[in-house]
Each structure stands twice: as C-alpha cells, then as structure tokens.
Amino acid sequence: EAQVTQNPRYLITVTGKKLTVTCSQNMNHEYMSWYRQDPGLGLRQIYYSMNVEVTDKGDVPEGYKVSRKEKRNFPLILESPSPNQTSLYFCASSLTSGRRETQYFGPGTRLLVL
Amino acid sequence: GQNIDQPTEMTATEGAIVQINCTYQTSGFNGLFWYQQHAGEAPTFLSYNVLDGLEEKGRFSSFLSRSKGYSYLLLKELQMKDSASYLCAVREANAGNMLTFGGGTRLMVKP
C-alpha cells in the first residue's frame, strides 16, 4: 500500500532533550516536506527536500534540522526542543515538485514539550 | 511571500450546498489546491486549479480566478461526513514550488 508513515505518532518530552521524528514513504517520491499545524495558524512548512541530499528551509525552520540521505526517508530533528515546539507535525511527499503534483500526508505526530 | 484568507468556520445543513471562499496574494502563482482534513487526521487532496474556471469532481467543484486572486470550493448535497476542515493552499513558483496553506475553514454539517 502506497503510504507515508511517521513515528512516533505521539510523544511527550521535556525541554532540551533531543528527539527525532521519522518519516518514510514507499512511493519513490522525490519531494518531501515537513509541516507543523497549530490552531489558528494552519499548516506551516518547516523544511523541504527536492531530492536526496537537497534540503531547504520553509517558513518556520528555526529550532529544526532535517536530513535526506536516502530517497525514502526524511527525518525531522529537534536538537533542543522547547515548549513552543509543541504542535502537530505532518510529513508529506510528492512525486516531484512539479506544479500539478499533489502532496500525500503522513498520519501526523502530536508532540508535547514540557 | 503569500497571504491566504479563508473563513474560520461555516455551518450548513445536510443536503444543502455550501461555498467556501479563499483569497490569496502571491508574487508567482503556480496553482491552487484544496484539501480536506477531518479532526485529528491528515489532510487529503480534493482538487487542483491552475487555469481560470471550474473543475468539477463529483459533489465537489473548485473555481479559480487568477486575476482576482480568488478561489472557492463548492460542496453539493452535503452529508454529515463532510464535516471537516477545508484547507486552501497556493503553490508559489519562486520558492521551490512551495505550498503555502491558509488557516482552514471548519465546516459543520447539521441534520
């Protein structure tokens, strides 16, 4: 089944404790991205990747890192999480970054930073 | 950068028609998407417009006017399961074809 998976789905952590949220897609998609969703602010892009070893900042990259060593995986790293990073995170992928390409979203990761 | 506006909430009756509007300002328009998102779930693709006019897909239609920076999503024969948030997203050519989302419109369908 074609899908985007994220792990973990739910995470409670404390300020400053490094964490990684994994994202994997099995559709051989070139384009992958991370969003956070907060009430009243909608989905905001954190980072995106056009292909392996090619990543770039989105609208809200501060406090996050990403890597794209393989086509299928695009982990999101929070080196020192803070409470303002409490949010619902979505990973998404599309075949390319072409204008017609729709993005397929993972199920989301709900993060609480205490 | 972009500015995308859509109403925060709307209410409609089962069986009726509802129109959800989206206005946007962008320097390099490269397409507009509508997504549906049920509470606690991932957004799912509904429609795509890049040229002016109406795109129809079953009970859902989406309209675009590029000169006015305006789109709407039309839902016909509303069903209770259509209660969800509807997200308007604009693709900008100048930023790696990045997709920028509006805040979403929460639609409540009542019996």
Side-chain angles (χ1 to χ4, degrees):
Chain A
E1 181 191 350
Q3 59 184 349
V4 180
T5 56
Q6 296 177 226
N7 281 292
R9 295 288 314 280
Y10 304 91
L11 180 61
I12 301 174
T13 189
V14 295
T15 298
K17 186 176 180 183
K18 181 180 177 180
L19 66 92
T20 299
V21 184
T22 64
C23 172
S24 183
Q25 49 89 10
N26 62 359
M27 297 171 279
N28 202 33
H29 283 175
E30 289 182 355
Y31 186 92
M32 297 185 76
S33 61
W34 275 104
Y35 297 87
R36 60 178 290 174
Q37 187 172 36
D38 303 288
L41 296 176
L43 279 160
R44 293 178 293 166
Q45 193 174 52
I46 304 170
Y47 268 94
Y48 64 94
S49 170
M50 307 268 276
N51 214 324
V52 176
E53 301 292 1
V54 180
T55 64
D56 211 342
K57 296 176 181 178
D59 285 330
V60 288
E62 295 78 19
Y64 304 95
K65 283 174 56 175
V66 292
S67 68
R68 189 90 184 274
K69 293 185 171 59
E70 313 161 276
K71 202 170 190 178
R72 64 184 294 128
N73 296 324
F74 190 45
L76 179 70
I77 303 152
L78 285 73
E79 294 270 3
S80 183
S82 61
N84 65 11
Q85 291 179 298
T86 292
S87 187
L88 177 58
Y89 291 87
F90 287 102
C91 179
S93 73
S94 61
L95 186 60
T96 68
S97 60
R99 66 178 190 176
R100 289 198 69 93
E101 296 292 344
T102 185
Q103 294 194 19
Y104 297 87
F105 286 81
T109 295
R110 198 170 285 279
L111 173 66
L112 173 61
V113 183
L114 299 172
Chain B
Q2 302 192 47
N3 192 21
I4 302 173
D5 289 312
Q6 41 181 142
T8 307
E9 281 191 358
M10 298 182 71
T11 303
T13 305
E14 193 176 15
I17 299 173
V18 71
Q19 177 175 312
I20 302 174
N21 296 326
C22 171
T23 58
Y24 63 89
Q25 294 172 315
T26 179
S27 54
F29 179 81
N30 212 14
L32 186 144
F33 292 80
W34 283 96
Y35 284 82
Q36 181 190 60
Q37 185 179 24
H38 285 98
E41 297 183 10
T44 54
F45 169 76
L46 284 179
S47 70
Y48 170 77
N49 295 71
V50 69
L51 299 176
D52 290 353
L54 190 67
E55 294 276 345
E56 297 188 76
K57 199 187 276 190
R59 293 190 299 115
F60 293 5
S61 306
S62 57
F63 171 82
L64 175 68
S65 168
R66 288 171 296 170
S67 62
K68 295 180 179 171
Y70 168 68
S71 173
Y72 67 72
L73 180 69
L74 195 71
L75 292 76
K76 302 175 190 172
E77 300 167 21
L78 279 173
Q79 302 174 10
M80 298 299 291
K81 67 177 182 179
D82 296 330
S83 292
S85 287
Y86 291 86
L87 314 180
C88 172
V90 176
R91 178 152 271 162
E92 186 168 12
N94 302 329
N97 261 343
M98 194 168 78
L99 208 56
T100 300
F101 285 81
T105 299
R106 188 167 155 233
L107 173 67
M108 287 175 282
V109 179
K110 296 187 173 179

